[in-house]
Amino acid sequence: MKGTTDGSSTEVDTPKMTYTTAFTDMKPGTMTRDGSTSRYLVSTPRTSTVGQTAERDNITLSRRTLATSILSLEFHLTRIEYTESLGNKSSASYKKLEGEVILTLNKMLSFYETFLRANILRFLKGSVVAQTEAVFRGDGLVPTPSDVIRIIVTAVQQRETDAFFDWRVDLRSLHCNGFTLKNLDPEVLSISFTVLGHGSVATFGGLTDWGPLESLRYEVLQSLGIRYRVQNFSLVQVRNVQGDLDISGELCVNTVARVDIDWALEALKGLANYSVDLGSLCINGSRLSLEIFPISFLVTNRLFSEKLLDRSSTAHQSLSWDLSKALMQTLGQYKNLLQVTVREVRGGSLVCHADVIFQPPAPTSKDLVRALALSVGPKNYLGASGIQVDPFSFAVAGATVEPPFANPGIPGYGIALIVLCGLALIAVLLLVLLYKHLGWKEKMVIHRFRDPEVMVETFELDNPTFRPLAEENNAQSSSPTEALG
């Protein structure tokens, strides 16, 4: 590569490198199932070579054979004027700017584990042109020139690195081994996820039904297309793993800055509607931040059958749908609830094992088990669903439902009845005593005694407090008068 300063030409030594850009075609590939291998159509890489050559001390560098790989990198610095001292490597101004640029590049490129160091070759006039090189280990994953440009663009746009100094990097001037912002290769992202219960799509004879895969592919393209221009989503591997469908693929995205992986993961949460396990969703090694609670409970109005052991069977998928829907409705009060995935159905009546997936912040396991227990109706129906459960069988991440009285003995209603009977007996006794007391005051009892020797009868009054009624007094007062008359 050649550059000019003050009208004269200056030759810059750069290494010879060969880079390969990957594309995909649908060709026969392999798929494994339970240790067996079958053939089916997947995206298989094919390559087209874009050669960028230069010489450095008559040495040809190869990423496969040498310990290091070197990428040439050139860019302009703005907000700074070129001075003659910047052409002198021993000057203070050169050393100062050299240290600042190296510090900036080291921070930008340290994103890659294979990055070793950045070297400043020279500063040229044209505002200030920085000619540098980035050194990577050759025994690992070395970024492409397009990747290097994208990581610099991303860092500058987020103002993470070059904002510490008076100068700024002119992004439009970025050159890396012949690549600029105008001819970048697409960014290739690896993506993988598991589709629950759809393992039957991949059989020994190949892919039996492309419909679900096409729906998934369309959903991925639509979701990411809100922000990025996705060139292609290709399937690399499709496997049937115990009735589930494991999918690995590649996304090719046309962008000048790195794809925001966290945003992409959030955008793909809608794949849960296509039976994708969000806990398995992975892009370039990154996953969603989730809190997953294992849950189990006993279903009492469904019978267990061997068909339920096959996750790809219609019976298992139908039951899983009913159970997931019932649990989602029951726990719908929690806004961060994302998904309920049924993992396993076992015998012993019918025991369901599932995962409840939340995005932080999530409730505690005790909150969840309490909400499930309270949602059980009088006839043990789970919420508004048609599924009957044992309310005391719920277990969420170790938390269980405690019966009202853990120790055997007299039930609560028995104790209540005993107390009520005791109170009633006391009330009856009080009424009897009160009645006798009041009745004793209103009656006169006369005891008659006869002495046969003297021929005398004696009368005794037992209730001296007795007072006759007014009618009796009148009758007694009038009787002597009538007798005299």
Side-chain angles (χ1 to χ4, degrees):
M1 181 176 60
K2 295 183 179 181
T4 60
T5 172
D6 297 334
S8 61
S9 63
T10 303
E11 186 169 341
V12 179
D13 295 326
T14 55
K16 179 180 180 181
M17 299 288 291
T18 301
Y19 296 95
T20 301
T21 305
F23 300 93
T24 58
D25 273 337
M26 299 304 296
K27 295 182 179 180
T30 60
M31 174 187 64
T32 61
R33 175 184 179 183
D34 301 332
S36 302
T37 302
S38 62
R39 298 182 64 82
Y40 69 114
L41 292 179
V42 296
S43 296
T44 304
R46 61 182 175 85
T47 59
S48 64
T49 302
V50 180
Q52 301 292 335
T53 58
E55 292 185 358
R56 180 185 177 87
D57 298 330
N58 297 323
I59 298 175
T60 301
L61 300 180
S62 171
R63 270 192 279 182
R64 293 190 296 269
T65 59
L66 295 184
T68 60
S69 294
I70 301 176
L71 299 180
S72 64
L73 181 61
E74 180 181 306
F75 49 88
H76 291 196
L77 302 180
T78 61
R79 302 185 185 181
I80 184 174
E81 294 295 332
Y82 182 82
T83 61
E84 294 297 331
S85 60
L86 291 178
N88 183 4
K89 292 186 178 183
S90 61
S91 67
S93 57
Y94 180 95
K95 292 180 178 180
K96 178 178 180 295
L97 184 58
E98 179 186 39
E100 292 176 354
V101 174
I102 288 178
L103 180 64
T104 300
L105 290 177
N106 286 344
K107 188 170 183 179
M108 289 178 175
L109 300 178
S110 61
F111 172 83
Y112 299 102
E113 294 182 356
T114 55
F115 174 71
L116 294 177
R117 64 186 179 276
N119 299 323
I120 304 299
L121 301 180
R122 59 184 58 85
F123 295 117
L124 302 177
K125 187 176 181 180
S127 64
V128 175
V129 180
Q131 292 185 340
T132 68
E133 62 182 14
V135 183
F136 297 86
R137 292 199 318 267
D139 58 349
L141 179 63
V142 178
T144 67
S146 296
D147 293 333
V148 170
I149 292 177
R150 264 190 289 266
I151 197 68
I152 294 176
V153 170
T154 302
V156 172
Q157 288 181 347
Q158 296 176 352
R159 302 187 64 83
E160 292 180 348
T161 52
D162 71 332
F164 296 105
F165 306 108
D166 296 333
W167 49 268
R168 296 290 183 271
V169 176
D170 182 6
L171 298 179
R172 294 171 299 177
S173 66
L174 282 169
H175 285 74
C176 185
N177 281 56
F179 285 87
T180 67
L181 293 180
K182 296 181 179 180
N183 64 341
L184 293 179
D185 288 334
E187 183 175 6
V188 180
L189 305 176
S190 62
I191 180 173
S192 61
F193 50 83
T194 299
V195 187
L196 300 173
H198 284 68
S200 59
V201 171
T203 63
F204 288 105
L207 295 177
T208 59
D209 186 5
W210 278 96
L213 298 180
E214 284 298 325
S215 298
L216 283 170
R217 181 178 178 275
Y218 179 80
E219 179 65 19
V220 170
L221 294 176
Q222 288 294 110
S223 299
L224 298 181
I226 297 174
R227 181 172 175 179
Y228 297 104
R229 189 160 61 94
V230 184
Q231 177 177 310
N232 188 30
F233 172 35
S234 58
L235 302 179
V236 176
Q237 188 178 48
V238 180
R239 297 186 303 159
N240 182 348
V241 179
Q242 296 180 353
D244 296 332
L245 195 65
D246 275 6
I247 295 178
S248 299
E250 288 185 346
L251 288 164
C252 294
V253 184
N254 291 319
T255 175
V256 296
R258 292 185 65 250
V259 173
D260 187 340
I261 301 297
D262 291 336
W263 180 90
L265 289 169
E266 287 288 327
L268 293 178
K269 288 192 300 186
L271 292 178
N273 298 325
Y274 295 83
S275 301
V276 172
D277 178 8
L278 294 181
S280 68
L281 180 60
C282 179
I283 300 179
N284 274 16
S286 299
R287 298 178 183 271
L288 284 167
S289 176
L290 303 173
E291 292 192 38
I292 302 176
F293 296 85
I295 178 177
S296 63
F297 57 93
L298 178 65
V299 179
T300 58
N301 66 338
R302 301 292 179 93
L303 297 177
F304 177 79
S305 65
E306 292 185 358
K307 292 182 179 180
L308 295 176
L309 296 176
D310 183 4
R311 295 176 59 83
S312 61
S313 67
T314 303
H316 187 282
Q317 292 185 21
S318 177
L319 179 62
S320 296
W321 169 260
D322 292 341
L323 293 173
S324 299
K325 182 180 178 181
L327 290 172
M328 287 290 290
Q329 291 176 347
T330 301
L331 300 176
Q333 57 183 301
Y334 299 106
K335 296 181 179 180
N336 288 340
L337 176 63
L338 294 180
Q339 187 180 32
V340 175
T341 60
V342 176
R343 298 296 182 187
E344 187 179 13
V345 177
R346 295 181 182 176
S349 294
L350 194 150
V351 181
C352 172
H353 294 266
D355 285 340
V356 183
I357 302 176
F358 287 89
Q359 205 160 19
T364 64
S365 57
K366 292 183 178 180
D367 291 335
L368 293 176
V369 77
R370 187 182 301 112
L372 290 170
L374 293 177
S375 69
V376 179
K379 295 183 178 181
N380 290 340
Y381 283 102
L382 182 59
S385 70
I387 297 176
Q388 287 180 309
V389 298
D390 178 359
F392 297 111
S393 67
F394 284 110
V396 180
T400 58
V401 180
E402 294 287 341
F405 291 92
N407 297 325
I410 301 175
Y413 65 87
I415 295 177
L417 289 176
I418 292 174
V419 173
L420 291 176
C421 290
L423 293 176
L425 182 60
I426 294 173
V428 170
L429 292 175
L430 290 175
L431 289 174
V432 170
L433 292 175
L434 182 61
Y435 175 76
K436 287 185 176 182
H437 180 68
L438 294 177
W440 184 257
K441 290 183 177 182
E442 296 176 358
K443 293 184 180 181
M444 181 179 67
V445 180
I446 300 175
H447 296 280
R448 180 179 181 183
F449 302 95
R450 176 179 292 183
D451 190 349
E453 294 180 358
V454 294
M455 301 297 292
V456 175
E457 288 185 347
T458 302
F459 297 92
E460 292 182 0
L461 181 63
D462 284 351
N463 189 3
T465 62
F466 173 76
R467 297 289 183 272
L469 298 175
E471 292 80 1
E472 295 178 353
N473 292 333
N474 293 335
Q476 292 176 1
S477 64
S478 63
S479 56
T481 305
E482 291 177 358
L484 292 175

